[in-house]
Amino acid sequence: MAPPDLPLFERDREQAVLSAVIGELRSGRPALVTVTGEPGLGQNELLRWAAGQARDRGVHVLAARATSAEHELRYGVVAQLLAPEDRDIATRLFVAPQRPGGLPGLNHLLTACHDRPTLLVVQDVQWLDPASLRWLEALARRLPRAPLALLTSTTGTAIDRPEWSVGTPLTGLASTIELALPPLTTSGVSAAVRTVCGVPGDTDFTHALAQATRGVPAVVHEVLLRFTRTGCAPRAEHVEHLRALTAEVVGDHAAQALSELRDPVAVDVLRALAVCGDLLDFPLVCTLAGLHPVPEARLRATLMASGLLTPRDGSPPGHDAVVRARILEEMPAADRADLYARAARLAQRVAVADQGIAELLLRARPVGAPWAVATLRRGFAAALRSGRRDRATAYLARALDEPLRSEERARVELQLASVQMVTAPTAAERRLHGLIRSTGTGTGLRAQAVDLCLLGGDTRAARLAQPTGSGTLGAPVPCGADVLAPGRESGTGSPPGRRARAVAGDATAPRGGNTSDPAHRDGADEHPERTATADNDATVSERDELATVGDRHELATVSERHELIALLRVARFLRHEETCPGVPPAPALPEHSHSPAVAGVRAWEHAMAGVHLEASRRLARAAFAPDPGGRPPLVTPRLFACRALFLTDDGDEAEAHLATLLNEAHRQRAAIAIAHVLAVRADLHLRHGRPDAAARDLAAAETELPPARLHPLFVPYWASLNLVADLQNGRPDRAREIAARPVPSLSEECATSAYLLFARGVLARSEDDPQRARAYFRACGRWLLHYGCVNPAVLPWRSLAAEAAHALGDDAEALRLTREEVRLAARWGTRSALGRAELGLAVVIRENRTEHFRAAVATLSESPARTDYTRAVLELASAESAEAERRTALALTSRRASTAGGVAPGPLPGFSQAPPAPAGVPPGRGAAPHPRPPAGWPALSPAEHETALLAASGLANREIATTLSVTTRAVELRLSGVYRKLRIRGREELRALRYGPEGG
């Protein structure tokens, strides 16, 4: 109901009509006026205004108001109308027996009207009792014979539609008018703000108020009254507070209307509508409310008369979320949950969309039917597709309330945790730890749980999954239990020989030596044919023996143990905890295993140690083979296998495997797996000279896993990728910002810290700060050696630290570091690692510098290290220009184009970047300094920079295009940009700027 002091904003038309009716009434002309509209639009206020106007003009006014509480009271409204004329009329109406066709007091009223014009005002005729309705209809039929006007108000559709309101012939010659009140326009709301608040409201505030209140004057007025009590000004900064007040007012109005609704059947239907009115049509909602004798049309009219429902384009009634919530709040919790459950069953029978049923099930008690879990899981997938992760997790959490088999429950828990790793990582870890400790977890699910924990940065889970020393293989570990000592395969019940045969599988690692330290097995690849033959013979023998073992459960347990050990080795690499008191060392990987997870981790360990190149390549490929026992593949070991393929110069193969992993993660809707795969692929793009593609993958990864949700163990790795991508994309300011950004303290305890130290060193090197660059590269090297990484293919910190030392005049350290990197790269055996090491040696060595550059170019020409090859060509061209031997560089460039077959070479693993001006002799003790760079040179982009250097070295456009693997047109455009920025006219001036007057 509108407050009595509600101003009649934007009601000028209606006031004019009512004034005319009152004027004609004084002339003896009867009228019937009905004012309609939603509750709160000011119908009754308008009637009160008309009554006041009539009294002021000498018209006799009789007023009454119908209410829902008196809907069953006979002649309740008639008694209110006639009481001023006859005080005893109420007693006679309520107590005296009703006579057929009797209309008490009507003739007396009509007689009295002939002496004085009379205005009858009846508010809320939707609540008229049947007797009063008949009385007023009889009055309407007699209007043409008396100077009397009937003015009524209603909210939409009345329960029993009065015939006079539709202009039937019953009214005869009387004027029949219906005034439908509209909501306030924005101008009306603005006027209300100015009137109530005393000051004009700004545009955003007014629009927000009009939208939140839907222009209902009663709501607008009450919201503004409450708003002014807070002392706030009607400004845009208070819009959220305004919306909260509006929701409170709307809820209060709904609660009042609900308390006035006396019909229990209508209340039941209203509650059913609040639950599923948007999903089911009105007849089905009535069916949900239960069997009742009330006709559907009467129920619809009753609910709309209450003001709690409004029609929507001819569809069944609907109501606001605030009103719906207030209606349901009035129900006991158990009844509400039962109503939602019954609504879900009905919606499922009539084939409502899955997400609609899932929304009902969220608030329902467990229904105990298989379709409920299936519907919730389909709703989960649909919510993830639309990006609603919070809703998706709510669906799966609700599915866990249903009765499930233990294995199915574990799968739902795992699927839920995979999403919660992004939205609520702490809850996900608790859920996964429960799966890891559970004895009822199905095949492969415990390893998957540990795998997911590692993707989330939780390295403790790998230790929780390890069996106790005296327990059965694969048994869950109670919290705080010790890990089985390294190398122990023990369970009970099988002789040692048979146990060894059961554990044995494919010979996925070289025989001999201690597998936990691959660095001690440098000679394992000296006779690859002999090793391969022995491995194949052993594999056949072991498979034959494995086929004789009848206990398939024991085999599954052994496979699970191998996976868990592999995951524990990954956890050990991510974070060294073995130095902490009470933490035993990680077990060694099984010597032979069918497990692809073991193959992937062993491939990475070989690559880290820089030994067994072919074995590492073979193991990395084996990591993507299907598991012989049909166990689900794990993500983390395959990611490490891809990173091992980076280091074996098999980047294209790694990219194909990463694409497979990405598709698999998308199918499973595993956001955290998607993010990690994209990050590793960005690493690959950087190594292959595609910084723009790397930036796109990193942006996509941060969309899946926001940086705020990234575990501290992975912060350094992601930061290093972003830093180098920005640096190579020509955004040094952003790179410096990333380098200066603090990292969590836990990040300093993990292996990925080396990547960030290296990237900071690359940034310092690009800024021509050798002192800081050397410090970062040395720190990177110490951290890598601490984690057992000696392979220069991982990060070439030695050669870059040597260049920084050479620039500082420390030639002895520079030579020591570069020769050590050459030795380790030769031991590893890839062209990119060896060529990069030879290039570093050529930069710092004094004797035969040109020959060393030629060797580096020759080696890198057969590698995917595109950035390093380009730099080597530039350095060789610069060195040869001083000796007038430029033709050698051109020949090598042509040979590179023919041997590569048009395939663009890839960049340096470790993201090394060509220095700003790689002249012939690097600065250092006893070396000629570089000439001062010309004005405008720093403004060149990296692509323009390397193109300008090649052009200044004498290469033609076609040769530059072949060297850089771009089109000739791209070279022409780059050179045009160079000439414009340097303000020169061609190659001769470029060469003069590049080498100085005595440079060539």
Side-chain angles (χ1 to χ4, degrees):
M1 183 183 72
D5 57 346
L6 176 67
L8 294 173
F9 292 111
E10 297 186 325
R11 298 294 181 253
D12 297 337
R13 181 183 67 87
E14 290 80 6
Q15 288 174 315
V17 171
L18 293 177
S19 294
V21 168
I22 293 171
E24 292 180 352
L25 178 61
R26 294 184 64 195
S27 303
R29 296 176 185 175
L32 284 168
V33 182
T34 303
V35 182
T36 65
E38 296 182 24
L41 290 181
Q43 300 95 312
N44 293 341
E45 178 67 18
L46 193 61
L47 264 61
R48 286 193 290 271
W49 176 87
Q53 292 290 313
R55 290 189 186 98
D56 293 342
R57 297 185 186 186
V59 175
H60 185 54
V61 178
L62 298 177
R65 182 187 177 193
T67 64
S68 60
E70 298 179 355
H71 177 61
E72 301 299 332
L73 180 63
R74 188 180 61 173
Y75 292 120
V77 169
V78 174
Q80 294 180 55
L81 287 172
L82 300 181
E85 303 293 326
D86 185 355
R87 295 183 178 180
D88 297 330
I89 188 68
T91 303
R92 296 197 303 273
L93 291 175
F94 299 155
V95 178
Q98 183 177 4
R99 294 180 298 170
L103 298 169
L106 179 59
N107 291 331
H108 177 74
L109 175 65
L110 292 174
T111 301
C113 288
H114 285 288
D115 297 331
R116 55 181 178 178
T118 302
L119 175 66
L120 270 63
V121 179
V122 182
Q123 300 177 24
D124 298 329
V125 295
Q126 70 271 13
W127 298 119
L128 279 174
D129 60 274
S132 295
L133 177 62
R134 288 193 303 271
W135 193 92
L136 288 173
E137 287 176 344
L139 173 66
R141 287 192 294 269
R142 292 165 174 78
L143 278 182
R145 300 192 297 270
L148 187 146
L150 178 60
L151 177 58
T152 63
S153 68
T154 179
T155 56
T157 304
I159 298 174
D160 292 311
R161 180 77 171 178
E163 295 186 11
W164 72 77
S165 63
V166 293
T168 64
L170 295 175
T171 60
L173 300 177
S175 300
T176 302
I177 302 171
E178 182 170 354
L179 299 176
L181 300 183
L184 295 179
T185 64
T186 304
S187 299
V189 173
S190 179
V193 172
R194 186 167 50 253
T195 301
V196 178
C197 297
V199 294
D202 61 17
T203 303
D204 292 340
F205 183 89
T206 302
H207 281 297
L209 178 62
Q211 184 180 18
T213 62
R214 293 186 300 146
V216 177
V219 180
V220 171
H221 188 253
E222 188 168 348
V223 168
L224 288 175
L225 287 176
R226 296 189 187 186
F227 182 80
T228 54
R229 294 191 195 109
T230 63
C232 298
R235 297 289 178 263
E237 57 265 25
H238 302 301
V239 165
E240 291 302 322
H241 178 52
L242 176 72
R243 292 195 177 105
L245 285 177
T246 304
E248 182 181 329
V249 170
V250 171
D252 292 344
H253 284 203
Q256 181 181 354
L258 187 61
S259 65
E260 295 174 354
L261 192 60
R262 304 294 179 178
D263 187 350
V265 176
V267 172
D268 290 342
V269 174
L270 182 65
R271 289 171 173 173
L273 277 169
V275 167
C276 58
D278 296 335
L279 299 175
L280 305 176
D281 56 18
F282 193 73
L284 286 174
V285 171
C286 294
T287 301
L288 178 63
L291 298 176
H292 49 78
V294 183
E296 178 186 323
R298 183 176 180 84
L299 277 174
R300 188 190 297 269
T302 301
L303 295 175
M304 296 187 66
S306 69
L308 292 168
L309 304 178
T310 55
R312 292 183 178 176
D313 301 328
S315 61
H319 39 275
D320 296 332
V322 175
V323 177
R324 177 184 302 160
R326 189 59 66 95
I327 291 170
L328 295 176
E329 283 175 5
E330 302 295 326
M331 294 182 67
D335 294 346
R336 185 167 59 245
D338 181 71
L339 179 60
Y340 271 107
R342 290 188 287 112
R345 289 195 187 95
L346 181 58
Q348 195 269 340
R349 286 200 297 271
V350 298
V352 172
D354 288 332
Q355 280 195 281
I357 304 175
E359 285 293 321
L360 295 175
L361 289 171
L362 278 182
R363 300 166 180 83
R365 58 169 174 76
V367 298
W371 60 262
V373 176
T375 301
L376 287 166
R377 295 184 76 173
R378 290 194 298 270
F380 160 82
L384 280 185
R385 283 194 298 271
S386 60
R388 302 167 62 207
R389 286 178 179 161
D390 292 339
R391 214 57 176 169
T393 56
Y395 291 152
L396 279 192
R398 171 61 183 82
L400 293 173
D401 294 335
E402 297 290 332
L404 296 169
R405 299 190 311 274
S406 59
E407 184 170 348
E408 185 180 8
R409 179 174 295 276
R411 293 188 183 280
V412 174
E413 292 261 15
L414 186 69
Q415 194 174 23
L416 175 57
S418 69
V419 181
Q420 285 183 325
M421 272 295 182
V422 176
T423 60
T426 303
E429 287 180 8
R430 285 198 302 266
R431 197 176 298 279
L432 292 172
H433 287 183
L435 283 177
I436 292 168
R437 295 190 182 101
S438 174
T439 57
T441 304
T443 302
L445 292 182
R446 292 182 66 218
Q448 284 183 288
V450 178
D451 184 37
L452 190 54
C453 283
L454 288 177
L455 290 175
D458 177 17
T459 57
R460 298 171 300 163
R463 294 193 177 277
L464 290 177
Q466 295 303 304
T468 58
S470 59
T472 306
L473 283 170
V477 182
C479 183
D482 291 336
V483 180
L484 182 63
R488 176 178 266 178
E489 299 290 343
S490 154
T492 57
S494 296
R498 177 177 175 180
R499 174 76 55 184
R501 290 192 298 271
V503 174
D506 289 338
T508 54
R511 292 180 176 272
N514 181 7
T515 58
S516 63
D517 187 6
H520 291 294
R521 297 176 298 176
D522 294 351
D525 287 339
E526 293 178 359
H527 303 286
E529 298 84 358
R530 187 186 309 168
T531 303
T533 303
D535 286 349
N536 291 335
D537 293 342
T539 301
V540 173
S541 174
E542 287 155 2
R543 285 175 178 170
D544 291 341
E545 293 180 86
L546 193 59
T548 64
V549 180
D551 192 349
R552 300 183 63 86
H553 175 71
E554 182 180 2
L555 297 181
T557 302
V558 171
S559 297
E560 182 180 75
R561 174 182 173 78
H562 288 183
E563 288 179 343
L564 295 178
I565 291 176
L567 294 173
L568 182 57
R569 300 290 295 184
V570 172
R572 177 183 178 274
F573 167 73
L574 291 176
R575 184 183 180 190
H576 262 320
E577 295 179 314
E578 296 172 357
T579 57
C580 300
V583 178
L589 288 170
E591 184 70 21
H592 306 291
S593 175
H594 283 293
S595 173
V598 172
V601 176
R602 189 182 290 281
W604 174 249
E605 291 189 350
H606 284 330
M608 288 279 289
V611 294
H612 307 310
L613 173 65
E614 290 303 323
S616 180
R617 181 179 285 123
R618 183 177 69 252
L619 288 165
R621 291 168 177 166
F624 294 92
D627 186 89
R631 297 175 64 81
L634 303 179
V635 176
T636 306
R638 288 184 289 169
L639 282 178
F640 276 89
C642 287
R643 294 173 70 178
L645 288 173
F646 296 175
L647 308 183
T648 61
D649 283 356
D650 297 297
D652 292 340
E653 186 176 350
E655 189 169 6
H657 289 310
L658 286 172
T660 301
L661 280 172
L662 191 60
N663 291 334
E664 178 184 301
H666 276 296
R667 285 196 305 272
Q668 297 174 354
R669 310 291 175 189
I672 193 165
I674 294 171
H676 279 285
V677 173
L678 287 171
V680 174
R681 194 169 71 175
D683 189 346
L684 174 64
H685 287 320
L686 290 174
R687 294 170 183 268
H688 281 205
R690 300 189 292 265
D692 51 343
R696 288 194 297 270
D697 274 352
L698 289 171
E702 291 182 359
T703 301
E704 297 289 338
L705 180 61
R709 296 290 188 182
L710 187 64
H711 194 277
L713 289 182
F714 300 114
V715 167
Y717 182 59
W718 285 44
S720 68
L721 296 175
N722 279 287
L723 191 158
V724 175
D726 286 336
L727 198 59
Q728 293 188 0
N729 281 318
R731 295 191 289 265
D733 292 339
R734 289 181 54 178
R736 281 190 288 270
E737 179 186 349
I738 294 172
R741 194 177 300 162
V743 295
S745 57
L746 184 59
S747 300
E748 300 175 357
E749 304 176 13
C750 61
T752 59
S753 295
Y755 287 85
L756 183 55
L757 292 170
F758 185 86
R760 286 171 173 168
V762 171
L763 176 62
R765 180 170 176 262
S766 70
E767 295 174 342
D768 198 19
D769 188 350
Q771 186 73 37
R772 191 159 53 95
R774 180 170 68 168
Y776 278 128
F777 291 134
R778 281 176 168 177
C780 168
R782 286 193 296 270
W783 206 244
L784 288 175
L785 293 176
H786 173 69
Y787 278 86
C789 177
V790 298
N791 192 349
V794 178
L795 292 174
W797 62 271
R798 294 176 182 85
S799 58
L800 297 184
E803 290 185 26
H806 181 64
L808 294 171
D810 192 350
D811 291 342
E813 181 185 2
L815 287 172
R816 178 181 62 81
L817 289 172
T818 52
R819 283 170 176 161
E820 181 181 2
E821 180 162 328
V822 169
R823 179 180 62 82
L824 294 173
R827 186 179 74 168
W828 176 236
T830 60
R831 289 287 182 174
S832 58
L834 182 58
R836 188 165 54 249
E838 290 174 343
L839 177 59
L841 179 62
V843 169
V844 302
I845 201 168
R846 295 183 181 181
E847 298 81 10
N848 299 323
R849 182 187 303 272
T850 304
E851 294 303 321
H852 284 290
F853 279 130
R854 289 194 183 104
V857 169
T859 305
L860 289 171
S861 66
E862 300 176 8
S863 79
R866 178 178 180 271
T867 302
D868 294 294
Y869 173 74
T870 302
R871 183 192 171 199
V873 170
L874 290 171
E875 294 282 9
L876 177 57
S878 180
E880 288 181 340
S881 66
E883 301 175 4
E885 295 177 0
R886 194 175 297 115
R887 290 187 300 274
T888 305
L890 299 182
L892 287 171
T893 301
S894 301
R895 187 173 63 186
R896 166 69 168 119
S898 62
T899 55
V903 179
L908 162 66
F911 332 122
S912 55
Q913 176 176 307
V921 181
R925 187 168 53 197
H930 287 299
R932 184 183 303 274
W937 192 265
L940 301 182
S941 68
E944 292 172 338
H945 179 263
E946 62 181 0
T947 304
L949 291 178
L950 291 173
S953 300
L955 274 68
N957 286 0
R958 186 180 300 277
E959 294 166 339
I960 296 173
T962 303
T963 302
L964 299 181
S965 298
V966 296
T967 64
T968 306
R969 178 59 178 163
V971 174
E972 293 171 354
L973 293 175
R974 290 181 185 180
L975 288 177
S976 297
V978 170
Y979 300 154
R980 184 180 66 257
K981 292 178 181 179
L982 297 182
R983 298 182 180 180
I984 59 178
R985 289 176 294 183
R987 286 175 178 260
E988 291 303 322
E989 293 186 33
L990 178 63
R991 184 171 180 276
L993 287 175
R994 173 67 178 82
Y995 293 107
E998 299 178 359

